[in-house]
């Protein structure tokens, strides 16, 4: 993604995990805000850490001063193992967090299938880690059971969905969000992959990252 991108090989539950770490865009000697992890879309449908939406989210985090890690779930790219319907992929995500961000502020984000997996990581870590921001894009609520976002994290959470998403209907995301009274940012005319609208998506993520949230 830039000259400050580092290729990592992490240890996963079923073997090695391929990852990329992008250094935060901060002034010399300034500390990053924290570490952001971005999860990619469905492994069986071409989803990888190089997906354009994943890269767009990662760029927003980097620009806002976060060291950002993208990784390939098991069975994708050089990551070992095979697809596990989200269960093993959650274990992969938790293993990545444990290795690249064992302490300090974290932000968790995902696109499509990655949002589903990330939601469960948020639910699992909410009581033990300081999660500063959550960003879920194209959340796969029609195909998987997405975990509710803990109430205390609602103001720190951004949900973005395309109005014309034909992979995950907007109605399914609203059905998930409605009982939680969790706002959803809808991109008019937006499809699942936000073709032609990635700069807008990046702007929405940046605006969220730069907004203050109540504790």
């Amino acid at each position: 993604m830039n000259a400050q991108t580092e290729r990592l090989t992490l240890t996963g539950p079923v073997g090695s995990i391929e990852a990329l770490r992008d250094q935060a865009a901060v002034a010399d000697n300034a500390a990053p805000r924290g570490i952001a992890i971005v999860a990619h879309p469905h492994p069986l449908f071409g989803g990888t850490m190089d997906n354009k939406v994943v890269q767009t989210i990662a760029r927003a985090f980097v620009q806002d001063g976060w060291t950002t890690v993208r990784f390939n779930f098991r069975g994708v790219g050089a990551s070992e193992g095979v697809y596990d319907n989200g269960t093993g992929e959650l274990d992969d995500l938790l293993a990545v967090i444990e290795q690249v961000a064992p302490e300090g502020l974290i932000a968790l984000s995902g696109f499509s299938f990655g949002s589903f997996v990330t939601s469960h990581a948020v639910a699992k870590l909410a009581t033990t880690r300081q999660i500063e921001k959550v960003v879920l894009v194209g959340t796969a609520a029609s195909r998987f059971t997405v975990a509710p976002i803990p109430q205390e994290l609602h103001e720190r959470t951004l949900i973005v969905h395309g109005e014309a998403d034909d992979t995950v209907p907007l109605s399914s995301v609203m059905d998930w969000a409605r009982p939680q009274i969790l706002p959803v940012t809808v991109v008019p005319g937006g499809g699942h992959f936000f073709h032609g609208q990635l700069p807008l998506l990046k702007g929405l993520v940046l605006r969220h990252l730069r907004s203050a949230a109540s504790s």
Side-chain angles (χ1 to χ4, degrees):
M1 187 165 68
N2 56 50
Q4 300 301 313
T5 299
E6 175 187 6
R7 190 167 294 277
L8 306 174
T9 300
L10 304 174
T11 302
V14 293
S16 62
I17 294 177
E18 179 183 24
L20 294 172
R21 179 164 54 200
D22 297 297
Q23 296 304 319
V26 293
D28 291 344
N29 300 320
R33 292 180 181 273
I35 298 181
I37 296 93
V38 187
H40 71 71
H42 206 300
L44 299 186
F45 298 96
T48 76
M49 64 181 175
D50 294 318
N51 171 271
K52 289 184 178 180
V53 175
V54 170
Q55 291 192 55
T56 297
I57 297 168
R59 286 189 182 102
F61 273 105
V62 166
Q63 189 172 327
D64 191 52
W66 292 79
T67 296
T68 305
V69 175
R70 296 172 281 140
F71 69 98
N72 279 332
F73 285 123
R74 57 185 63 196
V76 176
S79 293
E80 296 178 322
V82 295
Y83 174 68
D84 192 34
N85 296 296
T87 303
E89 286 77 10
L90 173 59
D91 292 338
D92 293 343
L93 174 53
L94 294 172
V96 169
I97 295 168
E98 184 177 339
Q99 289 169 79
V100 304
E103 58 185 12
L105 282 185
I106 57 173
L108 300 180
S109 179
F111 169 49
S112 195
F113 173 86
S115 285
F116 149 65
V117 177
T118 296
S119 74
H120 287 274
V122 170
K124 188 173 182 66
L125 297 176
T127 58
T128 60
R129 292 297 305 268
Q130 188 172 352
I131 302 175
E132 184 68 13
K133 296 288 183 179
V134 177
V135 176
L136 304 182
V137 177
T139 307
S142 64
R143 303 180 177 212
F144 300 95
T145 302
V146 180
I149 300 298
Q151 178 67 41
E152 64 271 18
L153 291 177
H154 278 200
E155 290 190 17
R156 300 177 183 271
T157 299
L158 173 68
I159 311 295
V160 181
H161 211 82
E163 177 190 25
D165 190 325
D166 59 1
T167 300
V168 181
L170 174 59
S171 60
S172 66
V173 177
M174 297 305 296
D175 288 344
W176 166 73
R178 191 175 298 111
Q180 309 177 65
I181 318 178
L182 180 64
V184 176
T185 298
V186 178
V187 176
H192 191 62
F193 295 98
F194 297 90
H195 293 305
Q197 296 179 319
L198 291 176
L200 171 60
L201 175 62
K202 180 183 174 186
L204 290 171
V205 176
L206 265 173
R207 185 169 67 185
H208 173 66
L209 296 181
R210 291 170 175 171
S211 67
S214 301
S215 299

